[in-house]
Amino acid sequence: MNAPPLLQIENLSVDFKVDNQLVHTVKNISFQLEKGKTLALVGESGSGKSVSALSILRLLPYPTAHHPSGRILFNGQDIMQMDAKQMQKVRGDRIGMIFQEPMTSLNPLHKVDKQIREVLKLHKGLNGKAATDRVLELLSMVGIRSPRQKMQAYPHELSGGQRQRVMIAMALANEPEILIADEPTTALDVTIQAQILDLLASLQQQLGMAILLITHDLGIVRHFSDQICIMHQGEIVESGETQRIFSAPQHDYSLKLLNADPRGKPTPIQDNAKELLRTRSLDVWFPIRKGVFARVADYVKAVNNINITIKQGQTLGIVGESGSGKTTLGLALIRLIESKGQIQFNGNRLDGLSHAQMKPLRREIQIVFQDPFGSLSPRMSISEIVSEGLAVHDPNNRAKHEQQLIAALEEVGLDPDARHRYPHEFSGGQRQRIAIARALILKPKLIILDEPTSALDRTVQSQIIELLRDIQIKYQLSYIFISHDLAVVKALSHDLMVMKEGQVVEQGSAERIFQQPEHTYTQALLDAAFY
């Protein structure tokens, strides 16, 4: 006789009351999760994945949210009928959760040590040395280097990957029976991603833990899950064993998702393309000060002796782990942080220029940041955000700004009629298009794209890649594309630069490196990628 499932969802619905109207977010979904197994909930943003998962721990904003139907059975007990005290014993102890955005989930006022200790004290009664030892054990378990030092850090002092690992450590602290992982590896590099997934698989085998995995990364789903439920517009449109769905999807939407990986190759560079950007021996070193007089004892060599050349219409992909210096290099190129060495852009030497001297050149080099929500001011309308650069660089032609704004929005596939709305009214993919429009409106020659697709669904990623490729062909734009998603880099980059600890370990044609990587670190990156 088979054991009953650990978790059973029966006809669960979730409605939200918004402006006196009911929004049906989740509609009569049913699935079950067995002990020691992994079930993946997949689908695009807004499909109801996270809302379904938050319902299990009753973490939705009640009474704005409510459940018109459904039961959630955990070990035979209906979670929907539990009182607050019973739920407190379940949350974080018997059912743990890794939230999608660690920066907003971790308390910015408390050190890592205190936040993990709180979980241990509340559910296990651990204090003092026993708690310290367990915190160190957990941080080491999730691959954080120098755990004794990092446990004394505040969240803002950690990289995105490190913050995500702290969240995972907190979720695993009490060895839960079920782990709900909501996009647990979105912000992580492929090597760390592989380590975290291997860690979760190992703990799952060791503890018999069940995992509910919510992700848009189908590569992870294919390698890591036993079963899949595919959600679309609040409904489960297809479910079954992972390998069956990947080999023979039945629903049209399932087929669309599986075929959404970024494809194609970059458009060839013109034979007569001129050199646009060149660096020679570029360094960004941060001093380490010690002692009473804060004398410089050493340096963190975030970027060390970097030489790059980019032609008009060319894309340089930059890959490497968190802390490898990718973003620091991008910021140095546009003189947002100090550096040493030569930077030559379109015939002008940028190194040594003052802020005032750099200002007229900034319209020719634009940047699109990783987080489209965090980089757009919530207090400004889309019209104000996108046209802000025009107000700075072209204040004498304000009559043309509205026309240029409409053209920029149309270029990135957005409805110009939405220009008076605000960022929170748009999806992640739409917000990233707004960020691209903001960069594009100044007609730059070079755009630095810092992880522009990492937070997006695969279908939206493919759309953004196609958009970037079309814009590049139309305007002969050059891109520096910083990413840990090798499938996206492969689809867009002519050349590739692999960074590790501030240095370039391999550089050259992207096609050659993807087919025949020479450095062991590059080989490890490619082996770890689920693309």
Side-chain angles (χ1 to χ4, degrees), residues 30-239:
S30 298
F31 62 84
Q32 57 187 39
L33 179 60
E34 297 177 12
K35 183 177 180 180
K37 299 292 185 180
T38 298
L39 171 70
L41 275 182
V42 301
E44 295 176 282
S45 295
S47 62
K49 308 185 302 293
S50 294
V51 170
S52 302
L54 290 169
S55 299
I56 295 169
L57 288 173
R58 284 175 35 199
L59 291 175
L60 294 174
Y62 304 104
T64 301
H66 71 281
H67 304 284
S69 68
R71 294 200 305 165
I72 302 172
L73 301 177
F74 172 53
N75 274 330
Q77 288 184 290
D78 190 351
I79 283 177
M80 307 281 267
Q81 303 302 319
M82 290 183 180
D83 60 30
K85 195 170 183 180
Q86 290 173 311
M87 280 306 304
Q88 190 177 29
K89 291 180 180 178
V90 170
R91 293 189 192 114
D93 185 14
R94 301 181 67 192
I95 303 178
M97 184 160 186
I98 304 166
F99 294 94
Q100 180 173 356
E101 179 42 66
M103 192 59 183
T104 54
S105 303
L106 296 172
N107 190 324
L109 302 178
H110 295 310
K111 294 179 180 179
V112 166
D113 180 37
K114 183 174 181 179
Q115 300 195 51
I116 301 178
R117 277 174 179 270
E118 185 179 18
V119 180
L120 297 169
K121 182 179 180 180
L122 184 64
H123 293 289
K124 301 295 183 186
L126 288 184
N127 285 298
K129 186 177 183 300
T132 300
D133 291 345
R134 180 61 174 157
V135 171
L136 288 169
E137 180 187 8
L138 287 164
L139 293 178
S140 299
M141 189 188 298
V142 296
I144 287 185
R145 297 171 189 167
S146 306
R148 195 171 290 277
Q149 177 188 350
K150 291 294 188 285
M151 68 191 285
Q152 297 305 320
Y154 290 95
H156 73 272
E157 297 177 297
L158 304 176
S159 70
Q162 289 170 332
R163 288 194 292 265
Q164 191 65 287
R165 279 175 271 175
V166 169
M167 283 294 303
I168 293 170
M170 290 174 68
L172 296 176
N174 296 310
E175 300 179 352
E177 295 170 65
I178 295 175
L179 179 65
I180 301 172
D182 189 358
E183 300 282 6
T185 59
T186 296
L188 304 182
D189 312 304
V190 287
T191 48
I192 304 303
Q193 187 180 86
Q195 291 171 21
I196 293 298
L197 292 173
D198 287 344
L199 167 68
L200 292 177
S202 172
L203 289 168
Q204 182 177 40
Q205 192 172 17
Q206 177 185 335
L207 306 172
M209 180 174 65
I211 296 176
L212 179 62
L213 176 66
I214 301 161
T215 184
H216 64 256
D217 192 325
L218 294 177
I220 291 175
V221 170
R222 185 170 202 161
H223 286 80
F224 193 62
S225 68
D226 300 297
Q227 291 188 308
I228 301 176
C229 289
I230 296 178
M231 292 194 70
H232 181 52
Q233 296 181 349
E235 298 179 293
I236 293 177
V237 297
E238 186 168 0
S239 62

Side-chain angles (χ1 to χ4, degrees), residues 354-413:
S354 67
H355 177 77
Q357 290 170 323
M358 269 297 298
K359 185 178 175 180
L361 294 171
R362 290 201 184 280
R363 70 177 301 162
E364 298 185 353
I365 311 175
Q366 290 292 299
I367 188 166
V368 175
F369 295 97
Q370 177 175 356
D371 178 7
F373 195 70
S375 65
L376 303 178
S377 172
R379 297 182 179 182
M380 295 171 70
S381 68
I382 302 312
S383 173
E384 293 169 325
I385 288 169
V386 176
S387 60
E388 185 179 20
L390 292 176
V392 173
H393 292 284
D394 195 17
N396 298 323
N397 288 311
R398 291 186 181 274
K400 294 182 180 179
H401 290 184
E402 188 78 0
Q403 185 181 345
Q404 290 169 294
L405 166 67
I406 291 171
L409 292 175
E410 287 176 339
E411 197 123 52
V412 299

Side-chain angles (χ1 to χ4, degrees), residues 287-450:
I288 299 172
R289 300 181 183 276
K290 293 183 178 180
V292 177
F293 299 104
R295 291 193 176 98
V296 177
D298 202 351
Y299 290 91
V300 175
K301 298 179 180 179
V303 171
N304 194 30
N305 194 31
I306 302 296
N307 301 306
I308 59 177
T309 302
I310 300 176
K311 292 183 177 181
Q312 189 175 11
Q314 181 182 4
T315 300
L316 171 66
I318 304 179
V319 300
E321 296 177 341
S322 292
S324 62
K326 307 186 301 294
T327 299
T328 302
L329 172 59
L331 295 176
L333 292 174
I334 55 175
R335 301 296 313 286
L336 289 180
I337 56 175
E338 289 187 20
S339 63
K340 290 185 178 180
Q342 180 182 334
I343 307 172
Q344 187 162 331
F345 174 75
N346 200 27
N348 298 295
R349 282 286 295 269
L350 302 188
D351 52 290
L353 292 184
S354 67
H355 177 77
Q357 290 170 323
M358 269 297 298
K359 185 178 175 180
L361 294 171
R362 290 201 184 280
R363 70 177 301 162
E364 298 185 353
I365 311 175
Q366 290 292 299
I367 188 166
V368 175
F369 295 97
Q370 177 175 356
D371 178 7
F373 195 70
S375 65
L376 303 178
S377 172
R379 297 182 179 182
M380 295 171 70
S381 68
I382 302 312
S383 173
E384 293 169 325
I385 288 169
V386 176
S387 60
E388 185 179 20
L390 292 176
V392 173
H393 292 284
D394 195 17
N396 298 323
N397 288 311
R398 291 186 181 274
K400 294 182 180 179
H401 290 184
E402 188 78 0
Q403 185 181 345
Q404 290 169 294
L405 166 67
I406 291 171
L409 292 175
E410 287 176 339
E411 197 123 52
V412 299
L414 290 172
D415 183 359
D417 291 341
R419 64 188 182 278
H420 302 299
R421 292 161 58 189
Y422 289 81
H424 71 273
E425 299 178 72
F426 295 85
S427 69
Q430 288 171 324
R431 287 196 291 265
Q432 200 59 286
R433 288 173 185 265
I434 292 164
I436 293 170
R438 176 174 60 181
L440 198 63
I441 198 168
L442 292 171
K443 298 292 185 281
K445 292 181 171 62
L446 172 68
I447 298 180
I448 298 172
L449 301 138
D450 189 2

